[in-house]
Amino acid sequence: MGGYGPGRQLDGLAAVARAALVRRIEASGVWAADPGWRAAFAAVPRHLFVPYYYVGVAGGYERRWGESADRGARERWLRGAYEDTPLATRLRDGELLSSSSQPSLMADMLAALDVADGHTVLEIGAGTGYNAALLAHRLGDDKVTTVDLDPEITESARRHLAAAGYHPVVVTGDGARGVPERAPFDRIIATCALSTVPCAWVAQSRPGGRILMPLATGLIVLTVTGAGDAEGRFLHTPAYFVPLRGTGRPGGESAQLGGVPRRAREDDLFRFLLALTRGSLDPQEAHALWEQEGRPQRERYGITVRGEREWAWLDDPEGPYAWPLPS
């Protein structure tokens, strides 16, 4: 466990825990189309990217640390680093600022990115650096750029990446603006939530490129057709991410849910529709549509970008159900 001193004697435990995580993810079949991702998850040591993290306990959070003087505490930290769960890595006044995403969700997203050898990738949201390391293992350091607004996050990501033997380009800057000096990109992947598709990402993508980003508790995959245009559908996977810093917190559903049956209020797919149509439909209108259309799954929804105009839709981008995304 190079670079983290007292943890070195736990190398064997780390290898066993990492192999178990890989087997759990592999059982889903997510790597069938590209076994290169299995090799990446098997090779990249997640624990080097989370030298400490926080777990929720009654009344707040408990810090787990790889440098603890107590061997049992170090083992709990290490086992937790290879659980298939998101890990809170940076808190401020009780608010989550950064995290390491759930590995199986990362695997789903990377598989959906549909990379090929030679592709260049821009990652929005450097986080711990773990996702950038997976990309660098699959494609090569020189093909991967990761950006984050917070210099403390980019500096720690650089340290983690170097400790694991990876050296992609790490940029401190506003992710919503992309990284024009490294463009164009074949793929852009965001590991933070937004409420609209930044025009810069479309402009910095090659024609035929792919943008994958969290939006409205889902994951949208857009294909760039050129000239500032892009279109695509949501994956079936629910996704909850920390918002992109500098853009404000993406709006959720309205709190005024009176008149909406409890079953709907608690349904993840109805809440997704509320988040997607925020500002266009009130909860009662959204509920009527949701019931009328058979409680549609996420895959029936999509997003279209035409220059500065962006809209979400159900089933057909030119159909009767379309809603502008907030500007």
Side-chain angles (χ1 to χ4, degrees):
M1 302 194 326
Y4 295 108
R8 287 181 182 274
Q9 68 267 38
L10 299 179
D11 279 345
L13 179 58
V16 170
R18 185 160 63 253
L21 175 63
V22 168
R23 287 195 298 271
R24 284 197 295 274
I25 298 174
E26 186 174 31
S28 71
V30 67
W31 294 323
D34 187 350
W37 289 120
R38 185 196 188 283
F41 277 83
V44 177
R46 191 188 190 203
H47 64 279
L48 293 187
F49 295 86
V50 287
Y52 62 87
Y53 56 86
Y54 302 89
V55 296
V57 295
Y61 289 91
E62 173 189 289
R63 187 175 187 257
R64 292 186 181 174
W65 186 37
E67 294 286 355
S68 172
D70 179 72
R71 181 182 175 86
R74 294 197 303 274
E75 289 183 351
R76 286 192 295 276
W77 159 77
L78 185 58
R79 290 193 181 95
Y82 288 102
E83 290 294 325
D84 187 23
T85 185
L87 299 175
T89 57
R90 193 172 294 262
L91 301 172
R92 182 178 297 157
D93 298 328
E95 181 181 1
L96 177 62
L97 298 181
S98 187
S99 65
S100 179
S101 300
Q102 183 177 3
S104 59
L105 177 59
M106 297 171 71
D108 285 338
M109 293 175 68
L110 290 169
L113 200 60
D114 192 26
V115 301
D117 292 347
H119 275 171
T120 56
V121 177
L122 171 62
E123 179 193 34
I124 312 295
T128 66
Y130 179 51
N131 199 59
L134 294 167
L135 285 161
H137 188 92
R138 172 66 181 81
L139 296 169
D141 287 342
D142 62 323
K143 301 296 184 183
V144 178
T145 303
T146 184
V147 59
D148 203 289
L149 185 63
D150 190 330
E152 292 183 5
I153 289 177
T154 52
E155 179 56 33
S156 65
R158 284 190 191 97
R159 290 198 308 270
H160 301 158
L161 284 158
Y166 298 98
H167 302 277
V169 175
V170 181
V171 176
T172 302
D174 183 355
R177 297 181 179 179
V179 183
E181 64 271 25
R182 295 276 293 171
F185 300 99
D186 296 292
R187 300 289 187 266
I188 295 179
I189 181 171
T191 56
C192 46
L194 292 93
S195 55
T196 59
V197 182
C199 295
W201 297 3
V202 180
Q204 292 173 29
S205 296
R206 288 192 174 93
R210 180 170 287 206
I211 298 171
L212 191 158
M213 57 180 284
L215 191 150
T217 78
L219 293 169
I220 185 70
V221 182
L222 300 165
T223 299
V224 177
T225 56
D229 296 349
E231 190 168 273
R233 289 182 180 268
F234 283 86
L235 302 179
H236 73 280
T237 312
Y240 301 87
F241 281 81
V242 175
L244 176 68
R245 279 176 295 278
T247 61
R249 184 170 295 275
E253 68 273 10
S254 168
Q256 304 301 316
L257 292 174
V260 175
R262 180 177 179 180
R263 178 191 63 191
R265 294 199 304 265
E266 297 176 352
D267 191 288
D268 176 66
L269 290 171
F270 177 62
R271 296 169 74 90
F272 166 74
L273 174 60
L274 283 179
L276 187 63
T277 61
R278 178 176 60 95
S280 296
L281 296 179
D282 65 34
Q284 288 73 32
E285 291 172 327
H287 179 251
L289 171 62
W290 187 65
E291 292 286 4
Q292 175 184 315
E293 292 300 316
R295 305 173 190 173
Q297 300 289 316
R298 282 179 172 83
E299 304 98 303
R300 288 178 58 187
Y301 298 92
I303 289 176
T304 298
V305 178
R306 293 286 182 267
E308 296 185 358
R309 181 178 170 232
E310 301 181 12
W311 70 95
W313 40 266
L314 176 66
D315 293 332
D316 183 347
E318 305 299 335
Y321 302 122
W323 312 277
L325 292 181
S327 56

